[in-house]
Amino acid sequence: MRVEWRLLAGLGLILSPWAILYWIFSYEPAGTAALVLTAAMFLFLAVYLAVQARQHGLRPEDREAVDLAEGAADLGWFPSASWYPVLIAVACMGLGYGLVLSPLLALPGVALLVFAIAGLAVESHRGTRVRPRPPQD
Amino acid sequence: MTTLADPPAPAPDDAPEPARPPRLGDGLADWLTTTDHKKIGLLYMGSALVFFAVGGLLATVMRAELATPELDLVSRETYNQVFTMHGTIMMFLFAVPMATGLANYLVPLHIGAPDMAFPRLNALSYWLFLGGGIVVLSGFLTSKGAADFGWTAFTPLSNATYTETIGADLWIVGLGLTGIASVIGAVNILTTVISMRAPGMTMFRMPVFTWSMVAVSFLMLMAFPVLTAAMVMLFTDRNLGTHFYDVVDGAGMPLLWQHLFWFFGHPEVYIVALPFFGVVGEIIPVFSRKPLFGYVAFVIATMAIAAYSFTTWAHHMFATGEVLFPFFSGLTLIIAVPTGVKFFNWTFTMWGGRLSFETPMLYALGFFVVFLIGGLTGPMLAAISFDVHVHDTYFVVAHMHYVLFGSAVFAMFGAIYFWFPKMTGRRLGEGLGKAQFWCLLLGFNLTFFPQHVLGLEGMPRRYAQYDDRYADLNVLSSVGHLFTLVAAVLFAVNLVRSWRRVAPDAEDPWGGHTLEWATSSPPPPHNFDRIPPIRSRQPAFHLRHPELLEEVDG
Amino acid sequence: MRRSVAGLAARAGGSAALLALAGCGSNLGAPEPASEQGRTVLDMWRVLFWLSAAVGGTVLVLAAIAIVRGRRGDRDELPAQSHGSALLEGVYIAIPLGIVAGLFVYTLRTDEIVNDEVADPDVVVEVTGYRWGWRFEYPDHGVLVESIAGETPEMVLPVDADVRIELASSDVIHSFYVPSFLTKRDLIPGLRSHLDVRTTRVAELHGHCAEYCGLDHSRMDFTVRIVEADEFDAWADETARESTR
């Protein structure tokens, strides 16, 4: 992860002096706040990745001459299909229309949102019930 | 669950399932619940093209109205909604989602991963984008119509006093949703690239398209929240009685919106452009039969553009007289340098190569010429006194269409023609493709080149009716649009006809260099039955030419 | 107005020719300046145009050579797989940096000249923009010009004079734009700003609102008439008398 954290540190370090210069020469608060926060976020991510890099050392994908077998491992769980993403989006739409048109409309949106997010989280433990249909030719 | 080292050995009497392109007939439930990054990528790209058509029709209305100086086609109310929604749709619902769709499809394949890091979050990004787009467009269905304050929504015009419509609030809410979708997508791409590269796929072996998407993800991560905050404040000003953007004597609080909007807005245009720089960086090497010239410089330039794009926002505000001029002028000029470096990367890739000019390459070259022109008017606009003359005139409209259309349309068509075989196992017709290209090149230039002159002469933007003195060039511009429409029709015809024709050479018709060309067309569900060893920046190329491997470093 | 396809086609053809000519016009598409500051901006435009043409031309020539040379040779044979050259890359980073640095200095110098303020202007005009018209007040002359529906308000100025145009808005953001001055300034509610011009020739100029302000944004045109000093005085006296009637 060395390249990654150095990249982020570079971005943060490029922006920091400009943030300072901007404040000194303009005293404009909105732009300064945005620049400072952006630089800080990059540096924050850089520090996190640097710590991870120290813990994990060089992974197979960080080494140029490596055997493919070294990457053999469970990469993680890739849920094949799930209803919850589209349900969350529909809930957000309902919430949005509710905010604009009437708070009463927003309530079903909120309810659906809570249900769908909870479902998404539970699905991470239980596994998805949806099985993709095998392709029919 | 996926392991990389052991592909399943096919049982003796059942051959592995032939990979086939996803079909609409796969079932609505399948499309609604999919978490496969390839299907989600196709959903994004398909939806983006539909929004492109809608935005394009709005452009047709504008050019038809502007063909004559008088207001004789639509009402003022309608025209104001039309140009507002044209900009909104093209920027938020077409260009960025199109790039996101390409990234969704290609990034895992480029790095040898079986899917994105968070497949369900990936699906959520898509559905939030679509939902947000629908909310924005549903403004047209309200009695007072859609948002009509320009895609930039300056205050005080966009506050409750001057814009009372529900369409405006729907615009705000809808874009809030699409913004969240983008941020989630950015997190997904970054996590995928950092954590899920195949062994041997170091960062500096990744394709430049993937590097471009890394930069774009950084931009999305930092810029969209600022827009969302600005939008929330506008919403509460309009509906809950807050006073964020109120006029305060001597303080000009309306400028707060401009600072926040453009802090997002300038990175936004690089969010649009950078993916397509990456696309061109993939196409040109393949059709020159040699690697990208100056790969490391290209990557560093991409990151420099990303960093500096945060520092240039108030070059959109020079005419206010209220911003720190040398800071923004200087930094805008600095950003021209890494962009220029890329032009030399592309040129010297072609230099000494063996070139062929199939449709993807034509589009890459079309991008090259069009973006060159747009990129040259950019530094002009960094020259403050000149900018102030042409600010808010058709000169800026010309500049932005040259850069945006050059990237998000020309390079996009290049990407579509290049990767269509990989994604579908079919080939798009070359004859129709080339006809479409020349038609588009002519139509685009005829539409927008005259607008530089219109702007210099003083014709302002967002005018439905104008002085007679601007008439001739407007007619020329509108005629150009007709050619663009023809090009659009040619593309639609090509797409429909090609979808049905299976092409035996679709597996790798171009001799691709990067990892996606080392798997079937389309790829199987978890992308690779067997990943080739990754020893260079061009794994598929070196699979075909192992004897050339020693020449390359890293 | 009837739109005939043939008519449109004819105008399109004529415009194409005009466009080519406009590009070759001495102002390269920009209007003839009517102010000193405008003349400076026009000079800058010429520099920007030719510099960009040179840079763009160079890039296009290089690309064209690469393309022409690349069409030769057998497609099935791989060319030399070169992938970089530190020297060349250094050159094509250094040269743009140099150009950009020079442009920056030139821009700042020009900006200084254009924004140079006169301590004691000859004429002061207070401009108020509103949805959707203009008010021009000359405090030193007791003159008030107000937009009337259906008519374009006119600002009269003396030639060879330093004019200060003070800008204020009653409602949303507008922008005071006279193309022949090659400048504009936004009218931001809550802020007062100003624009200094030194008029250089007798002329009738058109002006637009250049910041989208709602429904009738495109119906907020005005005119600026620059006249000889004595004519200006006469006009001011006459208009002042009319206002007080």
Side-chain angles (χ1 to χ4, degrees), chain B residues 76 80 148 162 250 289 294 319 345 351 354-355 380 385 388-389 391-392 456 458 463 465 469-470 472 476, chain C residues 12 15 31 69-70 74-75 77 81 83 92 111 171 177 184 186 190 206 208-212 216-217 219:
Chain B
R76 294 161 294 161
N80 295 339
D148 62 352
Y162 298 105
R289 290 162 185 74
N345 286 126
W351 194 281
R354 300 233 195 285
L355 270 48
M380 291 182 188
S385 305
V388 170
H389 169 47
H391 172 72
D392 249 313
L456 285 165
Y463 267 38
Q465 55 183 107
R469 72 187 55 163
Y470 303 125
D472 289 341
L476 194 60
Chain C
S15 311
R69 286 175 55 200
D74 187 3
R75 293 291 163 278
E77 225 184 84
Q81 302 284 296
H83 51 277
Y92 69 56
D111 205 42
D171 40 42
Y177 180 36
K184 63 169 63 71
D186 285 359
H206 59 282
H208 303 297
C209 172
E211 183 60 60
Y212 178 59
D216 275 336
H217 170 59
R219 294 186 183 180

Side-chain angles (χ1 to χ4, degrees), chain A:
Chain A
M1 284 196 199
R2 264 187 6 224
V3 173
E4 292 94 316
W5 79 256
R6 286 176 185 178
L7 171 62
L8 282 160
L11 293 172
L13 291 175
I14 290 180
L15 281 177
S16 304
W18 292 115
I20 296 170
L21 279 172
Y22 182 66
W23 174 248
I24 292 175
F25 285 104
S26 76
Y27 291 121
E28 194 275 298
T32 305
L35 276 174
V36 166
L37 288 172
T38 302
M41 265 283 270
F42 278 130
L43 292 173
F44 170 70
L45 289 173
V47 167
Y48 170 73
L49 286 179
V51 168
Q52 292 290 312
R54 174 133 14 122
Q55 280 181 8
H56 294 274
L58 286 179
R59 304 161 298 169
E61 60 264 45
D62 296 323
R63 306 207 317 263
E64 290 186 352
V66 71
D67 224 344
L68 209 56
E70 294 189 41
D74 259 347
L75 277 179
W77 174 57
F78 298 99
S80 45
S82 166
W83 275 105
Y84 294 109
V86 66
L87 286 180
I88 293 178
V90 169
C92 287
M93 280 176 77
L95 183 54
Y97 277 118
L99 280 175
V100 174
L101 296 172
S102 149
L104 284 179
L105 280 178
L107 290 176
V110 174
L112 181 58
L113 190 63
V114 171
F115 163 73
I117 292 180
L120 196 75
V122 166
E123 204 177 48
S124 303
H125 290 279
R126 292 237 209 100
T128 59
R129 297 253 266 27
V130 184
R131 298 259 169 274
R133 261 189 319 170
Q136 300 166 0
D137 263 338

Side-chain angles (χ1 to χ4, degrees), chain C residues 76-226:
Chain C
D76 292 325
E77 225 184 84
L78 284 179
Q81 302 284 296
S82 75
H83 51 277
S85 150
L87 177 63
L88 186 54
E89 292 176 54
V91 166
Y92 69 56
I93 294 175
I95 293 185
L97 263 178
I99 295 177
V100 150
L103 200 50
F104 180 51
V105 171
Y106 175 60
T107 296
L108 287 187
R109 283 237 190 88
T110 305
D111 205 42
E112 229 180 275
I113 297 172
V114 168
N115 290 327
D116 198 25
E117 297 195 345
V118 175
D120 191 20
D122 300 315
V123 181
V124 175
V125 187
E126 288 174 5
V127 173
T128 307
Y130 53 89
R131 295 179 4 134
W132 288 280
W134 302 91
R135 185 179 307 127
F136 304 137
E137 264 178 272
Y138 298 67
D140 302 329
H141 300 84
V143 169
L144 175 64
V145 177
E146 183 99 43
S147 278
I148 303 170
E151 283 177 28
T152 311
E154 182 178 70
M155 176 190 293
V156 181
L157 297 175
V159 72
D160 295 323
D162 291 304
V163 181
R164 169 153 302 155
I165 303 173
E166 308 215 326
L167 302 163
S169 165
S170 308
D171 40 42
V172 300
I173 303 181
H174 301 272
S175 193
F176 180 86
Y177 180 36
V178 180
S180 298
F181 288 156
L182 282 91
T183 191
K184 63 169 63 71
R185 192 67 86 240
D186 285 359
L187 285 66
I188 299 167
L191 287 179
R192 304 196 67 86
S193 51
H194 66 265
L195 197 53
D196 280 4
V197 290
R198 178 170 180 85
T199 52
T200 54
R201 62 184 177 92
V202 170
E204 294 226 9
L205 311 173
H206 59 282
H208 303 297
C209 172
E211 183 60 60
Y212 178 59
C213 52
L215 199 60
D216 275 336
H217 170 59
S218 38
R219 294 186 183 180
M220 258 178 83
D221 285 354
F222 57 94
T223 56
V224 176
R225 189 157 56 97
I226 306 178

Side-chain angles (χ1 to χ4, degrees), chain A residues 58-67, chain B residues 199-205 533-537 552-554:
Chain A
L58 286 179
R59 304 161 298 169
E61 60 264 45
D62 296 323
R63 306 207 317 263
E64 290 186 352
V66 71
D67 224 344
Chain B
M201 176 61 78
T202 61
M203 289 291 283
F204 279 99
R205 281 178 179 167
I534 298 168
R535 295 263 183 272
S536 71
R537 291 177 184 142
V552 184
D553 248 347

